[in-house]
Amino acid sequence: MHYFRVKEDNSSLYTGRVEGRHKWGLPGIRNCPACKASWGTDTRAYPSVDLTPVVTLADFEEPRAEPIEEYERLCELVRPLLPPGALLQPGAALGPLVGRAQGNFGPLVAPSSWGVLLQREALEKLQAEGLRGLKGCGTQLRFRQRNSPELLELEILPGGLLHPDCLPPNRKPPCPRCGRRGLTRPDDMLLDASTLPTQSDLFRLEDFSTVIVCTERFVEACRRLGLDGVSFQPLPMK
């Protein structure tokens, strides 16, 4: 099996643009008591999560940094609502993508390097091909045009790691309290074959959440069906 990174297609002639963020999110961490770092990122998203049952919903509406104790408290409120296999991190995005969209969109859309949208017809075609792990979630995007497409966001669960051989040999272990790794993603990535999931054709790396990976089955189905709008970069593994 071969694997590929799913990225924006800078050569595409599609003009579609999306501006928005997810409806809710966890706060970042301010001054972790163990590693002293302040950090958070919304590159791990779970658009299927509905937080409306949470009484203190306002705690998830404004991006901000909080002491780690408050972050951990909010994690426990969210955890029962997560899809199986989900991992949390400071700043994790939750709920539907809200914002504006305009232009001409292809079947697949990568508004960022860590998210994938697609039109409903494209999702149905891929699912009919038997591809595994594809879950489309509704968005709340306002279009500036008539005859706008229905764009869904793929909920991409974590799975797989980079191989230690492509990481700095003197790297420190993750912070035992907040989990921060403090590593820059290497330019030449090498997947750790022993960690890759076997039940999904699309996943997000556990250790570098900006990297979305798909199988060759996913790439072949997209090419056979004429589903364009993103690019596929081969990733070696060991």
Side-chain angles (χ1 to χ4, degrees):
M1 177 69 74
H2 298 288
Y3 292 86
F4 299 79
R5 184 182 182 189
V6 184
K7 298 181 62 178
E8 302 167 85
D9 184 1
N10 294 324
S11 65
S12 172
L13 298 179
Y14 295 113
T15 61
R17 295 180 58 85
V18 174
E19 297 177 0
R21 64 182 182 91
H22 292 85
K23 191 169 186 178
W24 304 295
L26 287 170
I29 289 175
R30 183 172 67 245
N31 299 328
C32 169
C35 67
K36 310 306 179 184
S38 295
W39 70 287
T41 173
D42 63 355
T43 56
R44 198 185 298 280
Y46 302 108
S48 72
V49 173
D50 181 7
L51 290 189
T52 53
V54 179
V55 175
T56 56
L57 192 58
D59 289 339
F60 301 92
E61 293 177 347
E62 293 298 328
R64 66 196 187 283
E66 294 279 8
I68 195 168
E69 294 80 8
E70 175 66 0
Y71 164 76
E72 292 170 340
R73 181 185 75 83
L74 296 178
C75 281
E76 294 312 306
L77 295 178
V78 168
R79 208 175 301 280
L81 305 174
L82 295 174
L87 297 175
L88 292 176
Q89 67 184 17
L94 306 165
L97 183 65
V98 181
R100 300 179 296 179
Q102 63 178 337
N104 177 33
F105 290 91
L108 300 173
V109 183
S112 66
S113 61
W114 54 86
V116 177
L117 309 179
L118 77 176
Q119 299 197 37
R120 179 175 293 278
E121 182 181 5
L123 175 61
E124 292 172 350
K125 288 181 177 180
L126 290 171
Q127 290 174 332
E129 291 287 315
L131 294 180
R132 304 156 300 175
L134 301 186
K135 180 179 180 179
C137 301
T139 60
Q140 296 179 7
L141 296 172
R142 303 184 308 277
F143 287 83
R144 299 179 179 178
Q145 65 217 40
R146 296 180 179 179
N147 302 320
S148 58
E150 181 184 8
L151 291 181
L152 305 175
E153 181 178 10
L154 286 175
E155 184 163 71
I156 305 173
L157 296 176
L161 302 167
L162 290 186
H163 197 278
D165 285 359
C166 72
L167 300 174
N170 59 346
R171 63 190 179 280
K172 297 180 180 179
C175 173
R177 184 68 188 275
C178 72
R180 183 176 182 271
R181 296 174 57 85
L183 290 176
T184 300
R185 178 182 57 77
D187 292 331
D188 297 321
M189 291 184 286
L190 179 66
L191 298 177
D192 187 338
S194 66
T195 68
L196 300 178
T198 59
Q199 300 301 317
S200 180
D201 288 299
L202 187 73
F203 54 93
R204 185 189 307 278
L205 290 185
E206 292 183 23
D207 49 354
F208 289 91
S209 56
T210 61
V211 181
I212 297 173
V213 179
C214 71
T215 64
E216 62 183 319
R217 295 178 68 243
F218 186 95
V219 175
E220 290 171 355
C222 287
R223 290 173 176 168
R224 185 169 58 253
L225 296 168
L227 303 179
D228 59 356
V230 300
S231 64
F232 300 106
Q233 173 189 342
L235 289 174
M237 63 179 177
K238 179 178 180 180

